[in-house]
Amino acid sequence: MKNCLQVTECISGRLIIITAIAGVTILAAALVTMALDPIQLLINYNTRVTNNSFMFNMFQKEVEGAHLSLYVFNVTNAQEFMSGEDHSLNVQEVGPFTYAEIRQNIDIDLDEEAGELEFTPNMKLRFVPEQSVARPEDVIVTVPNLALLSVASLVSSLPFFIRNTFKLLFSTLNCKSITTIDVYSFLWGYSDPLISQAYNIVPGIVYFDKFGIMDRLYDNKTIYRMRVGIRDEDRFSIKTLKKYMKSDNWMNERALESYKYKNTYEGAAYPPGLNVETPINIYRLGVCRELNLEFHGTKNMEYGGDAWIYRISNETFNRDCAAGVCGMMDLSSCTYGIPITMSRTHFLETDPKIYERIKGINPDPSKHDSHFLLEPNIGISLSTSLSLQMNMNLADLRFSDKTEMFSDLVLPVAYIKVVQQDVFDALYGILRTIHVTAPITLISIEVTMFLIAVAILAYSGLLLYRRSKCKAKKKAYAKLNLRQNLPLIQCQLTKT
């Protein structure tokens, strides 16, 4: 009797294809996850600016922002300086007088198709007595008469007969070049008969009815209209800024001033996923020109990530050298011709020749430098300490004995230190998740997916190997049965 040769039923090719596809799919998903950075994608999605989004709702709320501390330069040798006994003006800083900025964006127009957001920033200041040396109304200082020096500077280049008219006016009104005044009036403006007379004589040149440092920066007679980007690559980047005179129909009127900016932000929010090489400029309301920032390294933070450190570049204060204002930023174009300049506080990193006639200037990087600490993934400012000094860059004022001692003098007036409120407590959990919890979880998922994919592909390969062995065995049995002239009988066995 002839033997029955048993042939094993081979593994299904469909099963091998299914397992191979599953393995490749899981492996591809792991590789795509590694390449796309899903954490940053989630950040971009959750910080988008669209109708009813979290960021857009926050944008409309009234919030307390930075704290603004002001220091006034008090003159200590007024009589000796004006008499010519002292060639230098001695000053001593008095302060701080601190205010909290309360801001709300109004008249908001969101254009998602154009990728732009237009609005009017509404800013109020609240005095913070616990962070101040005293109430500004209660502190008396001796300071240069800014109204007199402003008017004198504005008319110094006018024809001889106009200068003589003002020289006579200064004497008639018994103007004093250095005056004693309370800090509040000095900061927020005081009426002076000289300003009223000057306005009547040259209304096209002198337009203001009072003068104060903060009054010039927070001018309540004007309205700003700002347009910013909302896409990932330019989120909160200022595109244009227009300045209008406050009136009932200001939106229908022509802008007093209009500026275009690039890579410029207000200093609170930036595009998520910042690149170190991306240029960043800072703009503050009341100052028509931007501050250029430069990258200065990283700082390891307690939430587990690195923050980026920026400082104001030297270029910011040297770009007006060709115009004769070096080491300072010329703001006269946005103060209607008043020769106001902005420098680092106490002329830090400025050529000492600029302040050689000013005594009491003591630049100290630990006190007077500025820094910006940015979280690049979300695109927010973690910490800001911005310190800037306001000066008057006076021209040749020798046409009047009231002002000749101030001729060609760079006069320090006051300085401002802007400190952003601490956001660590509110954001610590989010930042910890972004930099520690989420990456660990994501890596664990990616490794698990990779191992599962490798295991499935290996199993698929094993099945393919067994199938090929099985086919080879079947082929051998078929040949053997053919030689023995036996019918091929396939006996069912357990699949392997």
Side-chain angles (χ1 to χ4, degrees):
M1 183 177 180
K2 295 181 179 180
N3 294 328
C4 173
L5 297 177
Q6 297 177 338
V7 181
T8 303
E9 181 179 346
C10 295
I11 297 168
S12 168
R14 184 178 181 183
L15 176 62
I16 297 173
I17 293 173
I18 291 173
T19 54
I21 291 175
V24 170
T25 301
I26 296 173
L27 180 61
L31 295 174
V32 168
T33 302
M34 294 176 185
L36 290 183
D37 190 359
I39 296 175
Q40 190 62 53
L41 291 176
L42 285 172
I43 291 172
N44 292 353
Y45 179 79
N46 286 287
T47 57
R48 71 196 189 284
V49 182
T50 60
N51 269 316
N52 299 318
S53 69
F54 171 78
M55 291 297 288
F56 186 58
N57 291 333
M58 287 296 296
F59 188 79
Q60 300 176 77
K61 292 183 177 180
E62 182 177 84
V63 295
E64 180 174 319
H67 279 199
L68 192 76
S69 296
L70 294 110
Y71 297 79
V72 175
F73 286 107
N74 179 60
V75 177
T76 60
N77 67 333
Q79 186 175 347
E80 293 83 355
F81 179 76
M82 291 307 301
S83 67
E85 180 180 344
D86 287 353
H87 182 65
S88 298
L89 189 69
N90 296 345
V91 298
Q92 183 180 41
E93 67 176 56
V94 177
F97 302 94
T98 302
Y99 294 84
E101 290 185 337
I102 312 297
R103 171 164 170 165
Q104 185 175 23
N105 300 310
I106 58 175
D107 299 327
I108 299 173
D109 182 13
L110 175 63
D111 188 343
E112 294 187 45
E113 184 176 347
E116 294 177 345
L117 178 67
E118 193 170 17
F119 59 94
T120 297
N122 186 24
M123 190 81 74
K124 298 182 293 185
L125 294 182
R126 175 180 60 82
F127 182 64
V128 185
E130 61 271 19
Q131 296 181 18
S132 307
V133 292
R135 299 194 68 84
E137 299 91 335
D138 300 332
V139 179
I140 306 298
V141 290
T142 301
V143 291
N145 186 341
L146 300 185
L148 171 64
L149 295 175
S150 296
V151 171
S153 293
L154 289 171
V155 303
S156 64
S157 59
L158 296 181
F160 174 77
F161 72 93
I162 295 181
R163 296 202 306 271
N164 267 0
T165 300
F166 275 91
K167 178 179 178 180
L168 179 61
L169 183 62
F170 296 162
S171 298
T172 303
L173 297 176
N174 194 27
C175 296
K176 294 182 179 180
S177 300
I178 298 179
T179 185
T180 299
I181 193 173
D182 66 272
V183 172
Y184 182 87
S185 298
F186 181 68
L187 294 176
W188 294 104
Y190 55 93
S191 297
D192 191 294
L194 171 62
I195 297 178
S196 301
Q197 294 292 337
Y199 179 82
N200 292 328
I201 297 172
V202 283
I205 296 177
V206 179
Y207 82 101
F208 47 89
D209 55 3
K210 65 177 182 177
F211 189 92
I213 292 299
M214 296 303 293
D215 181 63
R216 293 299 91 213
L217 293 179
Y218 292 87
D219 187 357
N220 59 11
K221 292 183 179 180
T222 58
I223 292 175
Y224 292 91
R225 191 70 178 165
M226 191 178 293
R227 184 162 55 90
V228 303
I230 61 171
R231 295 192 175 100
D232 288 348
E233 64 272 13
D234 65 355
R235 193 169 301 164
F236 300 117
S237 172
I238 301 172
K239 306 295 184 182
T240 61
L241 179 74
K242 295 181 179 180
K243 186 176 179 181
Y244 296 86
M245 187 66 70
K246 186 178 287 186
S247 66
D248 293 336
N249 62 338
W250 64 269
M251 277 192 170
N252 298 321
E253 296 178 358
R254 184 176 179 180
L256 296 173
E257 299 170 8
S258 182
Y259 304 96
K260 290 184 179 180
Y261 296 104
K262 188 177 181 180
N263 301 316
T264 300
Y265 309 86
E266 288 195 87
Y270 306 85
L274 281 175
N275 188 299
V276 174
E277 297 179 355
T278 301
I280 294 179
N281 306 311
I282 295 294
Y283 168 83
R284 279 193 59 82
L285 284 176
V287 181
C288 60
R289 305 183 68 184
E290 68 272 26
L291 306 171
N292 308 115
L293 300 189
E294 58 185 10
F295 180 73
H296 270 262
T298 62
K299 179 181 180 181
N300 186 258
M301 306 298 288
E302 59 187 21
Y303 56 74
D306 287 338
W308 292 357
I309 303 170
Y310 284 83
R311 294 181 67 244
I312 302 176
S313 70
N314 289 330
E315 176 193 354
T316 297
F317 302 106
N318 291 328
R319 60 190 175 193
D320 294 326
C321 289
V325 184
C326 208
M328 300 173 289
M329 187 166 58
D330 184 11
L331 301 184
S332 59
S333 61
C334 51
T335 56
Y336 300 97
I338 298 172
I340 292 178
T341 63
M342 189 166 280
S343 67
R344 286 189 170 94
T345 299
H346 276 255
F347 296 108
L348 180 69
E349 297 183 19
T350 304
D351 188 345
K353 289 183 178 180
I354 290 179
Y355 55 92
E356 61 184 357
R357 289 183 59 201
I358 306 295
K359 303 301 180 185
I361 297 298
N362 302 297
D364 183 347
S366 65
K367 295 179 181 178
H368 305 137
D369 202 2
S370 300
H371 77 269
F372 301 81
L373 206 60
L374 273 61
E375 203 295 315
N377 296 78
I378 301 179
I380 60 169
S381 177
L382 298 176
S383 173
T384 296
S385 180
L386 173 62
S387 190
L388 295 169
Q389 181 172 299
M390 298 190 67
N391 317 289
M392 292 192 75
N393 189 27
L394 300 172
D396 185 350
L397 305 181
R398 288 176 293 179
F399 70 90
S400 170
D401 58 354
K402 299 285 186 181
T403 59
E404 62 178 342
M405 284 301 295
F406 290 94
S407 286
D408 303 313
L409 184 70
V410 176
L411 178 67
V413 176
Y415 75 85
I416 305 168
K417 189 168 187 177
V418 181
V419 178
Q420 176 188 296
Q421 295 305 286
D422 192 0
V423 298
F424 284 105
D425 291 341
L427 292 175
Y428 180 83
I430 296 174
L431 294 173
R432 183 77 179 172
T433 298
I434 290 172
H435 289 278
V436 179
T437 309
I440 291 175
T441 303
L442 182 61
I443 290 174
S444 300
I445 293 172
E446 290 171 346
V447 170
T448 302
M449 291 172 67
F450 183 80
L451 292 177
I452 291 173
V454 169
I456 292 176
L457 289 173
Y459 180 63
S460 178
L462 178 62
L463 293 179
L464 182 62
Y465 171 76
R466 288 182 175 179
R467 177 180 169 83
S468 64
K469 294 289 287 184
C470 177
K471 284 188 173 183
K473 188 180 292 186
K474 284 180 67 176
K475 193 173 184 180
Y477 286 158
K479 288 181 178 179
L480 183 60
N481 284 330
L482 185 62
R483 285 197 299 269
Q484 296 178 355
N485 196 23
L486 293 174
L488 181 62
I489 302 175
Q490 292 186 343
C491 304
Q492 298 295 324
L493 297 177
T494 304
K495 293 181 182 179
T496 59

